[in-house]
Amino acid sequence: MFKGSIVALITPFKNNVLEQDKYASLIHHHIKNGTKGVVPAGTTGESPTLNHVEHKKVIEIAVKECNGKIPVIAGTGSNSTAEAIELSKHAEKSGANALLIVTPYYNKPTQEGLYQHFKAINDNVGLPIIIYNIPPRSVVDMSIDTMARLFELKNIIGVKDATGDLNRVNQQKNKMGPDFIQLSGE
């Protein structure tokens, strides 16, 4: 279900207002041109700068406009576990197919802190979760061992890896096996 070109959507604004029609048009452009999935409210869409109403709205629009034609992987990560859970629950209620959750930026959690953050989200939703490991932006690198622990949970299905380290692909595959989805963010 999650393979091929999955596009992180930008979030168009004009005069500080979400341009809903342009956003819908962008989604239809991707559907028409063979994109295999979209990510609303990801970090490319500058999710940390969206307020909660805007964040939830872009997910709702993506689900409505995709209408089951391609998967919607909602960006619901935050450096606040409670906020990530709230956004993840909303994405699930809205009909998203999966969640893309960035490692908590700025906080610099330990590996155990990362595990507990993702476990708490996992325990509060029923959607598949893709870990977004992007050390240059979040200032923390989730270890392969921590990912392996998380992969044992019911909803953790893979990683969007933006480490730039090509050796990790094989290391992750050897540790988690072929069912662990690996997406590249570089």
Side-chain angles (χ1 to χ4, degrees), residues 13-173:
F13 276 81
K14 186 173 184 177
N15 298 322
N16 295 319
V17 177
L18 172 64
E19 291 189 282
Q20 294 185 34
D21 291 341
K22 287 198 180 202
Y23 191 63
S25 176
L26 176 62
I27 293 166
H28 288 283
H29 169 80
H30 284 291
I31 294 169
K32 179 181 173 188
N33 287 285
T35 297
K36 300 299 182 195
V38 293
V39 180
T43 55
T44 298
E46 298 182 340
S47 59
T49 64
L50 299 175
N51 66 41
H52 287 185
V53 172
E54 294 163 343
H55 195 125
K56 291 174 180 179
K57 188 67 177 175
V58 297
I59 292 169
E60 292 167 6
I61 292 169
V63 169
K64 178 181 179 239
E65 299 301 324
C66 287
N67 195 27
K69 294 175 185 135
I70 60 174
V72 174
I73 305 171
T76 58
S78 172
N79 61 343
S80 161
T81 303
E83 182 178 309
I85 290 169
E86 176 191 345
L87 293 170
S88 297
K89 285 181 174 181
H90 179 80
E92 183 172 33
K93 182 179 174 187
S94 297
N97 302 99
L99 307 171
L100 179 66
I101 301 177
V102 67
T103 51
Y105 41 89
Y106 188 76
N107 297 354
K108 294 164 80 173
T110 63
Q111 294 301 307
E112 183 60 26
L114 286 170
Y115 177 81
Q116 293 301 327
H117 175 78
F118 279 89
K119 182 180 183 311
I121 299 164
N122 174 86
D123 293 349
N124 278 278
V125 295
L127 288 178
I129 296 171
I130 299 169
I131 299 161
Y132 188 9
N133 190 33
I134 183 168
R137 297 282 176 114
S138 64
V139 196
V140 65
D141 184 4
M142 183 181 290
S143 74
I144 295 168
D145 288 339
T146 300
M147 274 186 218
R149 283 181 67 202
L150 287 167
F151 189 48
E152 294 173 4
L153 302 175
K154 67 179 177 144
N155 297 321
I156 308 291
I157 63 166
V159 65
K160 177 181 176 185
D161 187 293
T163 63
D165 181 356
L166 296 177
N167 293 320
R168 285 186 73 124
V169 176
N170 283 336
Q171 293 168 354
Q172 290 166 174
K173 183 178 178 185

